[in-house]
Amino acid sequence: EILARTEERLSEDLADQPEGEAKLCNTISDVCFQLEDYPNAEVVLNRVLALRPRLGEHRQVATALQRLGNLYYQRGECLSIWQRLHGPEDAKALDTMGNLGIALAEQKRLAEAEKMLQDTLALQKKPLGAESSEAARTLLSLSSMHLIIGGDPVEGERCARESLAIRNLHEPKHKDVADAMQNVALALRRQNRLEEAENMYRDTLVALNGNTSLKRPAAGTLGDLIEVLSAQGKKAEATAVLREQWALARAIASPDTEELDRCLADFAGN
């Protein structure tokens, strides 16, 4: 209903004001994203694109393309606009490059994704420095590409450790610290370095400990630790961690508690 009334206003009050219409549409799309109303977000963002012949290379067009990129990967065109408007080292252009690299990785276009992310990293290091928060984020994306989507676990470990070192130096409480540690542990598992992976998972749990907003990630880390312990034949330790995971699942009202009960019974019977 609100969207319908706004559409009427757009048609009547802003018919001759394309910049104002585009700005209002982008504002509406932001509200739609917050409400997870993606179909209507797409409608109003495409309305901005329809104004492109009148607006030309305008920042409101770039904003609309960037948001549409979150829906169906139109980040490439958005990137070209930001680069032409502000240069290749502009913060929004670099952010868009990183997002495009992630989108390419999700499409299994790994060679293109790695090049895009490496190019992003190189450009970030010029104005921001090799130890910037932005560089740490891109390194984490590179490690995730190699480990979660596919690629080289050795390179995935290197990128994750570099990202972790930057965070620990400047932002040791940043939420990406635990993600980087998880990636290091996963890389070690992929290389069959199970004892090292076990230690890294335990360190990750220490990093997560006490942060109530991270209880669900902690439950996942406990599950990973159980798998590593089981692979090493450490049944007693795996059972103890499973009980800890069960208690945490109860605390956060996880739907997986029945599955955990079954796993506990299986461990006890073996």
Side-chain angles (χ1 to χ4, degrees):
E1 183 181 346
I2 294 172
L3 183 63
R5 290 203 302 268
T6 305
E7 290 245 346
E8 290 177 7
R9 187 198 162 191
L10 289 172
S11 300
E12 296 171 6
D13 299 347
L14 299 174
D16 298 321
Q17 302 175 51
E19 184 173 355
E21 182 176 348
K23 185 176 182 179
L24 181 56
C25 283
N26 278 327
T27 300
I28 295 168
S29 76
D30 189 42
V31 175
C32 289
F33 271 106
Q34 291 180 43
L35 296 173
E36 297 184 354
D37 183 2
Y38 301 120
N40 278 323
E42 184 175 4
V43 169
V44 293
L45 289 171
N46 277 314
R47 184 159 187 151
V48 177
L49 297 191
L51 295 169
R52 190 173 184 178
R54 297 165 66 188
L55 289 172
E57 300 277 89
H58 195 281
R59 62 189 181 88
Q60 295 294 343
V61 174
T63 297
L65 282 166
Q66 187 174 41
R67 290 177 179 173
L68 277 169
N70 292 325
L71 298 175
Y72 42 80
Y73 304 127
Q74 289 191 350
R75 294 183 177 102
E77 193 172 1
C78 172
L79 173 61
S80 66
I81 291 178
W82 283 121
Q83 287 178 328
R84 286 197 296 272
L85 286 174
H86 304 292
E89 295 176 13
D90 173 71
K92 287 191 175 181
L94 292 173
D95 187 51
T96 302
M97 281 183 74
N99 289 338
L100 180 56
I102 294 169
L104 290 167
E106 289 172 347
Q107 296 173 63
K108 308 296 185 184
R109 296 161 62 180
L110 300 184
E112 296 171 78
E114 182 170 19
K115 184 180 186 307
M116 182 64 69
L117 289 170
Q118 291 286 7
D119 288 349
T120 303
L121 185 62
L123 287 168
Q124 284 170 335
K125 287 181 177 181
K126 284 185 177 181
L128 302 173
E131 295 181 346
S132 68
S133 177
E134 291 78 6
R137 185 175 64 245
T138 301
L139 283 161
L140 183 59
S141 295
L142 275 164
S143 74
S144 296
M145 182 202 74
H146 282 292
L147 297 167
I148 299 170
I149 301 169
D152 180 4
V154 175
E155 183 64 13
E157 179 189 355
R158 185 194 68 77
C159 292
R161 286 191 184 278
E162 190 174 344
S163 177
L164 181 59
I166 295 171
R167 292 297 187 196
N168 281 334
L169 185 63
H170 299 293
E171 302 170 288
K173 299 297 184 181
H174 195 281
K175 64 182 180 62
D176 283 355
V177 168
D179 290 339
M181 295 174 78
Q182 286 270 26
N183 280 10
V184 172
L186 179 57
L188 293 168
R189 286 178 68 182
R190 294 279 171 82
Q191 297 171 69
N192 205 33
R193 294 157 59 187
L194 298 182
E195 187 172 354
E196 293 174 77
E198 175 191 339
N199 292 333
M200 183 55 69
Y201 280 130
R202 292 189 186 280
D203 289 345
T204 304
L205 289 168
V206 172
L208 292 169
N209 187 37
N211 190 333
T212 55
S213 68
L214 296 175
K215 281 186 176 180
R216 290 187 184 278
T221 302
L222 287 167
D224 292 329
L225 178 57
I226 291 165
E227 291 178 6
V228 169
L229 290 168
S230 299
Q232 296 177 86
K234 298 180 178 180
K235 179 186 172 183
E237 292 178 59
T239 302
V241 176
L242 183 57
R243 291 186 186 281
E244 187 179 348
Q245 187 187 33
W246 180 89
L248 183 58
R250 291 286 188 192
I252 61 177
S254 170
D256 298 329
T257 51
E258 289 186 8
E259 177 66 16
L260 290 172
D261 287 340
R262 185 189 64 75
C263 289
L264 274 169
D266 289 346
F267 265 83
N270 290 332

